[in-house]
Amino acid sequence: MRLRLHRLRFDIWLCLLLAYLVSLGTGAAASALSAATYDDYAADHVAVEGEPGSLAGEDVPRAQSVEDLLELDTFTILSEGIAYRNEGAGFYQGRYLYNLALPSGERVAAQINLENVQTGEDYYSGEVILPLGRVVWADLEEDSAFLEQITTAYPLDRTDFYVDMTGNTARYSQEARTENHVLVVQGITILVCFPLLHALGSHFGLFPAFFPSRRREGAA
């Protein structure tokens, strides 16, 4: 059997190329707009005192166990340095959750605002104070892929909730936000411009039409 190579017609390639060139312009405009608005975006994602993700002051209860987590409205957790970064993690519904060990030895999933992790009272102990957090009820077992990722090193003791230590502070970096905006705008530009350019070329007889009109078919 001979393999047949199906090639796109020249008019299609040409319209795709022209649409891409147009998208470079809209992408540049999107990049500039994204950069100009980033400060406002970041300001909207700053931790508010007393809310999840904010700095945990001395008056914030130090949760020791799962029982403490469930009894307290808000709390902080003392962690052994950055061990949680290397003991399993994964994305659950767009949130990056770590496998976090509590002082009791129990393990729970936690989303942590890394910007507000503080050095512990005893600097030489390597202990850190995590941001203020709260319990969010969720069925983590509904996402088997996530559960497999976060339990690569240790199993979780509870999978019916996670600890939110991020709140409204989750945000993209300026580079990632700009890249996302540019990709979306360029994609939309190509999807819109390609059929318009081809229709325009067909109207002036430069390209064959995708869908010949009934009038032309009847005349033929």
Side-chain angles (χ1 to χ4, degrees):
M1 295 180 60
R2 293 183 178 180
L3 295 176
R4 295 182 178 180
L5 298 179
H6 298 278
R7 298 181 179 179
L8 292 176
R9 298 189 326 231
F10 171 76
D11 56 305
I12 296 178
W13 280 115
L14 179 60
C15 290
L16 283 173
L17 175 61
L18 293 175
Y20 172 71
L21 293 176
V22 174
S23 77
L24 294 180
T26 58
S31 177
L33 180 61
S34 181
T37 59
Y38 185 79
D39 288 344
D40 291 336
Y41 164 78
D44 289 336
H45 292 77
V46 172
V48 177
E49 184 178 356
E51 294 293 324
S54 62
L55 290 170
E58 296 181 357
D59 58 330
V60 176
R62 271 57 173 161
Q64 300 290 316
S65 63
V66 167
E67 182 179 1
D68 290 344
L69 299 182
L70 300 181
E71 288 182 352
L72 298 168
D73 291 330
T74 56
F75 48 79
T76 186
I77 298 170
L78 302 182
S79 174
E80 294 297 326
I82 59 172
Y84 55 86
R85 296 198 191 186
N86 305 305
E87 296 179 344
F91 281 98
Y92 175 76
Q93 297 183 352
R95 297 174 176 270
Y96 193 66
L97 305 182
Y98 295 96
N99 188 323
L100 175 64
L102 302 175
S104 65
E106 297 168 295
R107 288 183 170 272
V108 297
Q111 185 183 22
I112 303 171
N113 176 17
L114 301 180
E115 292 183 357
N116 283 341
V117 175
Q118 307 173 79
T119 303
E121 285 83 358
D122 185 354
Y123 177 82
Y124 296 100
S125 69
E127 195 173 61
V128 297
I129 305 171
L130 299 182
L132 187 143
R134 63 181 176 88
V135 166
V136 176
W137 295 101
D139 182 7
L140 303 183
E141 293 186 2
E142 68 181 4
D143 189 336
S144 58
F146 156 74
L147 202 60
E148 183 177 351
Q149 290 176 335
I150 198 171
T151 58
T152 52
Y154 301 96
L156 296 175
D157 287 278
R158 295 290 293 263
T159 57
D160 56 341
F161 70 82
Y162 66 86
V163 176
D164 178 13
M165 291 184 159
T166 298
N168 189 46
T169 64
R171 65 176 182 267
Y172 290 106
S173 67
Q174 182 171 345
E175 293 75 15
R177 180 172 180 265
T178 298
E179 182 179 358
N180 289 340
H181 286 168
V182 170
L183 289 176
V184 169
V185 169
Q186 285 187 314
I188 293 174
T189 301
I190 292 174
L191 289 175
V192 171
C193 286
F194 170 73
L196 290 178
L197 289 170
H198 197 278
L200 188 63
S202 298
H203 176 73
F204 287 103
L206 300 175
F207 310 138
F210 277 132
F211 305 104
S213 66
R214 294 181 180 178
R215 183 177 300 176
R216 289 183 179 180
E217 288 180 349

